[in-house]
Amino acid sequence: MKTIDELLAEGVVGKRVFVRADLNVPLAGTEITDDGRIRAVQPTIAKLAEAGARVIVASHLGRPKGAPDPAFSLAPAAKRLGELLGADVAFATDTVGSSAKETVAALAEGQVAVIENLRFNAGETSKDDAERGAFADQLAELADLYVGDGFGAVHRKHASVFDLPARLPHAAGYLIATEVGVLKKLTAEVKRPYVVVLGGAKVSDKLAVIDQLLGKADRILIGGGMAYTFLYAKGFEVGISLLQKDQVDVVKEYMARAEKNGVELVLPVDILASADFPDLKGKTPADFITVDADAIPADKEGLDIGPKTRELYASKIADAETVFWNGPVGVFEHPDYAGGTSAIAQALVDSNAFTVVGGGDSAAAVRTLGFDENAFGHISTGGGASLEYLEGKTLPGLAALEV
């Protein structure tokens, strides 16, 4: 995989460099609530601009239906990127139309522009190779070189991720190089004990990665909504907690395989539960109860791991050399159920391990709960991409950069 430093050594002065970034940031109206992904790609963009390139930044945001939708405009991201760069960033109001062409044509050496949300064009995400290729052809007309640095999208076979690199000389940006290097430490170069913490809502989202980790990890700690399917598989009642009954047989097989392989599969021993979530107005402390994991009341829902589980999980992380964490272990967005996720984050900070926070909601939780990002070994920008890499899948965006 060619690096951006190699590209820079060849010279980019005056060249139009298309940077496929991941500016898919969470928005409250037009306000960005977490700019982590923009900050992550800033070094690549800044380096290209400093070297005299005319930089064209492209990304998706959300899931528009292949047509313009103001709710998913990249205008706020372009504004924030300009603030981080300390320079004006031009913004094109379309992807390959007159605004994009005129905006790119007006760029001087060292200037940066952002084009509008790539998913406003149906060709970006099309499953039809010809339609996707036609959009990639249009994007290629805007640029001379391609730099892939949108790690959060490399698991997608999309026009700007997979097809466009085949049409232009290409290289990997700093973010992708960092992410791949980190993931190698979780697969080919693992220091042990290797502890994995998996949370999130649905066990079905994590089955493939659990399948792979049963042959690689030393301990797997389970939390979040997915934990209740495991507890149910053990024969426990889980009240009205999130449960995927159709996955119980698979989970039972995984628990048996973990025991056979000598992998310690650790489940919650106590749960913070409540009824009527998320409508908690007027509730008293008595409505928020901590119960043993095998004693969840029929009318209550598990919403976080309890204090005993927090201590247990911290002890399982304490002696680790490598820790990968993907998925909050409770409803961290609500302060009454953020304690478990905060405890996991603190355990990572307190350990001497190489710690990786696997993107998505986990990364958002770390920032929301006020942790110093520098206290972790790495905070990934791509939850789905990280998981698929650990599952052993070929990621289209990485494969395209290796050709």
Side-chain angles (χ1 to χ4, degrees):
M1 187 182 293
K2 189 173 187 176
T3 68
I4 186 173
D5 286 332
E6 291 175 286
L7 193 72
L8 289 165
E10 294 170 358
V12 295
V13 176
K15 297 287 183 68
R16 300 170 301 165
V17 182
F18 188 104
V19 178
R20 200 337 178 157
D22 179 9
L23 308 180
N24 186 26
V25 291
L27 295 172
T30 58
E31 295 297 316
I32 296 170
T33 58
D34 181 359
D35 67 354
R37 284 176 168 164
I38 303 176
R39 287 186 287 111
V41 76
Q42 177 194 353
T44 291
I45 296 168
K47 193 73 171 180
L48 288 165
E50 289 168 9
R54 294 188 281 160
V55 187
I56 306 141
V57 182
S59 176
H60 70 287
L61 192 152
R63 298 191 178 189
K65 306 298 183 183
D69 183 338
F72 297 106
S73 174
L74 279 173
K79 178 183 176 183
R80 181 59 181 147
L81 176 60
E83 292 169 352
L84 292 169
L85 291 172
D88 289 337
V89 169
F91 182 66
T93 56
D94 57 27
T95 55
V96 292
S98 59
S99 179
K101 292 174 182 176
E102 291 167 8
T103 301
V104 170
L107 286 175
E109 292 176 5
Q111 290 187 328
V112 179
V114 174
I115 63 173
E116 186 55 284
N117 192 335
L118 292 163
R119 291 186 184 176
F120 285 0
N121 189 304
E124 169 68 1
T125 60
S126 176
K127 290 184 173 15
D128 181 83
D129 291 349
E131 183 179 12
R132 216 175 50 247
F135 183 48
D137 287 339
Q138 291 178 291
L139 291 172
E141 292 177 6
L142 296 174
D144 305 305
L145 303 169
Y146 176 95
V147 172
D149 216 26
F151 180 74
V154 293
H155 58 314
R156 307 295 188 193
K157 192 177 181 182
H158 290 171
S160 65
V161 176
F162 178 74
D163 301 273
L164 185 54
R167 289 158 168 78
L168 295 169
H170 51 267
Y174 293 122
L175 175 60
I176 279 187
T178 298
E179 295 272 12
V180 171
V182 166
L183 289 168
K184 285 181 179 178
K185 292 183 180 181
L186 300 178
T187 51
E189 305 162 7
V190 183
K191 292 184 178 180
R192 300 183 179 278
Y194 178 21
V195 177
V196 176
V197 185
L198 294 177
K202 295 182 179 180
V203 69
S204 55
D205 294 340
K206 303 292 196 313
L207 287 177
V209 75
I210 294 172
D211 184 60
Q212 287 293 315
L213 290 170
L214 286 173
K216 296 186 173 80
D218 298 300
R219 299 177 198 135
I220 302 175
L221 317 182
I222 302 293
M226 62 183 287
Y228 302 103
T229 301
F230 279 86
L231 294 173
Y232 189 85
K234 286 191 69 172
F236 299 165
E237 291 300 325
V238 296
I240 56 172
S241 305
L242 187 62
L243 172 63
Q244 290 186 281
K245 284 190 176 180
D246 60 328
Q247 303 297 337
V248 169
D249 287 342
V250 178
V251 166
K252 285 182 177 178
E253 191 273 326
Y254 283 2
M255 289 194 294
R257 184 141 55 96
E259 185 174 4
K260 180 180 178 181
N261 291 355
V263 176
E264 194 177 356
L265 187 61
V266 189
L267 302 179
V269 295
D270 63 344
I271 296 293
L272 193 62
S274 179
D276 303 319
F277 184 83
D279 184 15
L280 299 173
K281 290 182 180 179
K283 296 295 178 183
T284 67
D287 294 299
F288 307 97
I289 62 170
T290 300
V291 297
D292 289 341
D294 61 354
I296 300 174
D299 65 338
K300 287 191 166 38
E301 176 180 7
L303 297 169
D304 196 7
I305 57 173
K308 292 179 183 176
T309 304
R310 297 170 197 178
E311 291 182 10
L312 172 66
Y313 284 12
S315 73
K316 298 294 183 182
I317 292 168
D319 68 341
E321 290 291 333
T322 304
V323 183
F324 173 71
W325 172 30
N326 181 277
V329 296
V331 187
F332 77 92
E333 299 90 345
H334 192 286
D336 290 312
Y337 305 108
T341 300
S342 182
I344 295 295
Q346 189 62 54
L348 266 67
V349 170
D350 292 342
S351 77
N352 293 318
F354 174 66
T355 56
V356 179
V357 180
D361 287 341
S362 308
V366 164
R367 298 185 183 108
T368 299
L369 296 172
F371 285 88
D372 181 357
E373 295 180 41
N374 295 321
F376 303 89
H378 180 69
I379 298 179
S380 179
T381 57
S386 295
L387 287 177
E388 290 198 16
Y389 189 101
L390 294 181
E391 289 166 19
K393 290 184 178 179
T394 297
L395 306 188
L398 296 185
L401 293 174
E402 289 168 352
V403 177

